[in-house]
């Protein structure tokens, strides 16, 4: 059996023991701080990483370091304080998911398995596409479309407010809507 690699960037030994008992088909490597997590990512190339979401921001910094080194790694943040703003920020910065630190063993295992499955699907998609990186135009278009949709969602579809939020003129916003096939009410 091929063991999959999970990085646990946390020094809480109870969680490590729980994961070892629950995830028998995984090799679990533990890192106690950001620098050791980064060294572990370089050495073991985990498909999934568990990182605590702490109020001091160290978890978000660890998330950024991991994704900078291994962009395909799925980072699941462990939220201990139910800080919704920090969780939303982590997801915006690339976290795959945020789960409560107190989640049941089976729920945590399911989240980890799902993250690994997503990683495998993305790898397969890149392989089928010939592993060619996206063009700059495609990346720019996708980012533009996400920004317009996000702005519209924030202002409940108000086009003038969305244009102000995006810092573009209304005619430019209309062109972007047409270009990206976005319909408004």
């Amino acid at each position: 059996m091929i063991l999959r690699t999970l990085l646990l960037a946390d020094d809480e030994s109870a969680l490590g023991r729980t994961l070892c008992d629950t995830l028998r088909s995984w090799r679990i490597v533990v890192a106690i701080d950001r620098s050791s997590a980064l060294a572990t990512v370089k050495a073991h190339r985990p498909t999934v990483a568990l990182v605590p979401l702490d109020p001091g921001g160290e978890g978000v910094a660890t998330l950024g370091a991991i994704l900078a080194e291994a962009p395909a790694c799925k980072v699941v943040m462990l939220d201990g304080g139910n800080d919704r703003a920090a969780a939303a920020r982590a997801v915006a910065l690339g976290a795959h998911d945020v789960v409560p630190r107190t989640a049941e063993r089976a729920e945590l295992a399911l989240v980890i398995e799902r993250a690994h499955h997503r990683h495998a699907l993305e790898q397969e998609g890149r392989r089928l596409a010939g592993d060619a990186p996206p063009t700059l135009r495609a990346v720019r278009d996708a980012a533009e479309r996400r920004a317009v949709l996000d702005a519209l969602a924030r202002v409940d579809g108000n086009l003038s407010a969305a244009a102000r939020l995006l810092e573009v003129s209304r005619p430019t916003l209309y062109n972007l809507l047409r270009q990206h096939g976005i319909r408004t009410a």
Side-chain angles (χ1 to χ4, degrees):
M1 169 174 30
I2 298 174
L3 293 178
R4 299 167 287 175
T5 303
L6 169 70
L7 166 62
L8 174 58
D10 192 8
D11 59 357
E12 187 180 308
S13 60
L15 179 59
R17 284 191 302 276
T18 298
L19 290 173
C20 286
D21 292 343
T22 306
L23 302 169
R24 298 219 180 263
S25 64
W26 287 80
R27 174 179 52 170
I28 300 170
V29 289
V30 179
I32 59 171
D33 58 16
R34 184 179 351 151
S35 61
S36 62
L38 194 53
T40 301
V41 168
K42 289 177 181 177
H44 297 282
R45 290 293 178 195
T47 58
V48 181
L50 289 176
V51 177
L53 184 62
D54 55 347
E58 181 63 23
V60 172
T62 303
L63 163 70
I66 290 171
L67 292 178
E69 179 61 33
C73 183
K74 299 300 171 203
V75 181
V76 176
M77 305 299 288
L78 297 169
D79 184 12
N82 296 324
D83 184 351
R84 193 157 174 83
R89 183 168 167 241
V91 169
L93 293 173
H96 174 73
D97 203 349
V98 178
V99 296
R101 182 179 281 282
T102 58
E104 292 293 323
R105 174 188 298 205
E107 180 184 356
L108 188 55
L110 185 64
V111 169
I112 292 167
E113 291 290 343
R114 180 69 186 129
H116 176 73
H117 182 67
R118 174 76 184 254
H119 177 273
L121 287 173
E122 289 175 358
Q123 293 292 95
E124 181 69 9
R126 281 191 283 279
R127 188 189 65 74
L128 292 173
D131 208 28
T135 63
L136 182 57
R137 177 76 181 171
V139 172
R140 188 180 308 129
D141 284 347
E144 233 174 42
R145 180 176 172 76
R146 276 193 313 273
V148 169
L149 289 171
D150 183 51
L152 286 169
R154 287 173 186 245
V155 296
D156 295 325
N158 182 314
L159 296 177
S160 295
R164 280 192 303 277
L165 191 59
L166 292 168
E167 297 181 3
V168 299
S169 66
R170 281 184 38 205
T172 298
L173 177 60
Y174 297 142
N175 288 337
L176 289 169
L177 293 171
R178 191 171 31 261
Q179 176 184 344
H180 296 293
I182 299 171
R183 296 183 182 210
T184 60

